[in-house]
Amino acid sequence: MYGFGRDRLEPGGSEMPRSWIWAFMLTLAAGAADASVSIRVVSSDPTRVTGGDALIEISADAAPKVIVNDRDVTAAFSAGAVPGHYLGLVGGLTVGENKITASAGGSSA
């Protein structure tokens, strides 16, 4: 049987790395989704976010307004290297599900 031992996969290790104390899941809102705004978790799989923060990329035609769990985190985002892409390190995520919405120019995701 393989498992994690000292934060790496090895035979006979435990099932989870010891450093994974908190587990988070990000829900990317898709209610009124439009192709002109999209959200992507860059730092990890959205269901495996750890440590209370995640690096998020928003693709939008204009600077987006970003809300996480009813909290405005727009100030955490800045223009990325590619036009129309905005990166932000979002902290303060809670254990369990976290909802992220982004809106720009009348579109949202």
Side-chain angles (χ1 to χ4, degrees), residues 3-97:
F4 288 96
R6 300 190 88 78
D7 297 331
R8 66 181 185 279
L9 191 62
E10 63 183 33
S14 64
E15 292 183 17
M16 288 184 59
R18 291 183 200 119
S19 63
W20 289 7
I21 296 173
W22 297 99
F24 303 86
M25 185 173 88
L26 297 177
T27 300
L28 308 179
D34 189 311
S36 63
V37 178
S38 66
I39 304 170
R40 182 172 72 101
V41 179
V42 179
S43 56
S44 66
D45 180 304
T47 63
R48 303 281 184 192
V49 174
T50 60
D53 56 23
L55 184 62
I56 310 288
E57 179 184 58
I58 309 289
S59 297
D61 295 335
K65 178 175 183 172
V66 185
I67 306 294
V68 175
N69 299 333
D70 299 320
R71 182 173 47 103
D72 189 336
V73 296
T74 303
F77 287 81
S78 59
V82 177
H85 292 258
Y86 301 85
L87 288 173
L89 182 61
V90 176
L93 299 173
T94 59
V95 175
E97 189 170 302

